[in-house]
Amino acid sequence: MSFNKMSFNKTTATITTEFAQPATTPPNGESVADGSLDRRELRRQLRRRRRALTPHQRRSASRELCRRLKRLPELQRARRVALYLPNDGEIDPQPLIDWLAARHAHVYLPVLRPLSDNRLWFVRYHAGTRMTRNRFGIAEPDTRFGAHRANRLPAWALDTVLLPLVGFDDEGQRIGMGGGFYDRTFAFARRQRPRPRLIGLAHDCQRVDALPVADWDVPLDAIVSDRRIIQPRR
C-alpha cells in the first residue's frame, strides 16, 4: 500500500471490548498518532511490537482472536472463507480451520498471482495441499496447484476474507505491509455488490491513536483483535 497522497477522513465505529487496555507505547517512547511518524517508521515500530510478543502471548492472543471471530454472524454463515498463514509475528487465525471444516466451509489461502501487478489468487486449502514459499518467504499453496481454475476461487466469489494488518485505530482505519496486494485485489469491492465481507486481524498491541485514510484503501467491514471487535459505520 502506498501513502503518497492522503485524505484524512474520519468515520465512527462500534467497538466491542473485553478487558480493553490502551495501546502499548512504542519502544522509543514516540506517539504513533497520525503525523508524528512517517509510514515506514510506523510500520517498523508496529512490526517490532508484534514480534516482541512471547510464544505464550501469541498462542493466548490467537485463542482469544478465534473466540471472537466465531461469534461473528458473517463467519458463522460463510461457506467460502479466505484466511492467511501468519508471518512476521502476525496474529494466527489457523485454529479456525478445523472449526470451519466442521461447519462444511471451504478454506482458501492467498497466493501471489504470477505475472501480475501485486494481486492475489485464492486457492483451496486442505491437509493434503502441496505448499511452497513465495518470494517473501510466506507459505502458500504451490503455484502449479493454484494455476488450475478448479482449485481457486475469484476474489468476488468469497463470502468472508480474513486479512492481516500491521496497525489499526478505533475508527476502523488500518495500515498494511505496504505492498497493496489486498487493496488491488479487492478494489472492485468499492463499487460492486454483493462482495466479500472483509475483516482485518491484528494483535491488540498494534492499535494506535489514529491513522490517515488513503484514497485507494478498501474499507473493512470489521477489525478483530485479541481484545476487541471494531465495526465501522460507513
Side-chain angles (χ1 to χ4, degrees):
M1 192 185 306
S2 174
F3 289 86
N4 295 326
K5 297 179 181 178
M6 290 289 178
S7 62
F8 289 81
N9 301 326
K10 285 292 180 184
T11 183
T12 58
T14 298
I15 307 175
T16 301
T17 308
E18 295 181 29
F19 309 109
Q21 297 177 355
T24 306
T25 302
N28 63 6
E30 293 182 272
S31 169
V32 292
D34 48 305
S36 61
L37 296 174
D38 64 33
R39 298 287 92 187
R40 290 183 180 179
E41 179 59 22
L42 177 57
R43 286 192 182 95
R44 279 195 292 268
Q45 289 204 14
L46 292 174
R47 290 172 69 189
R48 281 200 297 267
R49 286 189 192 183
R50 70 188 186 190
R51 286 198 300 260
L53 296 172
T54 66
H56 173 76
Q57 288 173 320
R58 292 180 186 183
R59 288 191 298 271
S60 177
S62 176
R63 287 193 299 270
E64 290 301 308
L65 170 81
C66 292
R67 184 170 67 86
R68 285 167 174 75
L69 287 170
K70 290 174 183 178
R71 299 204 308 251
L72 295 179
E74 52 264 63
L75 202 58
Q76 292 174 359
R77 60 176 175 256
R79 290 297 173 262
R80 298 177 297 273
V81 179
L83 51 77
Y84 61 91
L85 302 183
N87 180 65
D88 191 46
E90 292 167 342
I91 197 163
D92 187 359
Q94 288 182 97
L96 283 176
I97 293 176
D98 288 342
W99 180 79
L100 289 166
R103 301 177 70 85
H104 307 291
H106 293 172
V107 173
Y108 294 81
L109 293 180
V111 172
L112 299 186
R113 182 175 169 181
L115 305 175
S116 75
D117 52 345
N118 289 12
R119 295 176 190 266
L120 300 170
W121 275 344
F122 289 92
V123 177
R124 179 79 184 276
Y125 174 78
H126 51 75
T129 302
R130 179 177 295 180
M131 304 294 288
T132 187
R133 296 276 177 181
N134 63 28
R135 66 178 182 269
F136 300 112
I138 302 171
E140 65 179 25
D142 187 274
T143 304
R144 289 170 293 182
F145 176 77
H148 294 282
R149 290 185 180 274
N151 298 328
R152 69 177 193 266
L153 203 63
W156 59 263
L158 294 162
D159 295 326
T160 301
V161 179
L162 307 178
L163 56 135
L165 305 179
V166 172
F168 69 97
D169 66 19
D170 287 346
E171 304 295 334
Q173 315 301 350
R174 46 88 178 189
I175 184 173
M177 287 291 288
F181 289 91
Y182 284 94
D183 284 317
R184 289 185 179 90
T185 302
F186 291 99
F188 69 87
R190 290 181 169 276
R191 59 187 182 277
Q192 180 176 318
R193 295 293 188 276
R195 67 173 184 83
R197 300 285 290 179
L198 303 178
I199 302 176
L201 310 183
H203 292 283
D204 205 71
C205 66
Q206 295 169 244
R207 182 171 66 94
V208 300
D209 294 333
L211 287 171
V213 185
D215 292 336
W216 49 84
D217 280 346
V218 175
L220 301 182
D221 297 289
I223 295 173
V224 183
S225 77
D226 48 301
R227 292 185 181 273
R228 72 195 72 222
I229 297 172
I230 299 174
Q231 296 178 305
R233 298 191 184 104
R234 305 292 181 189

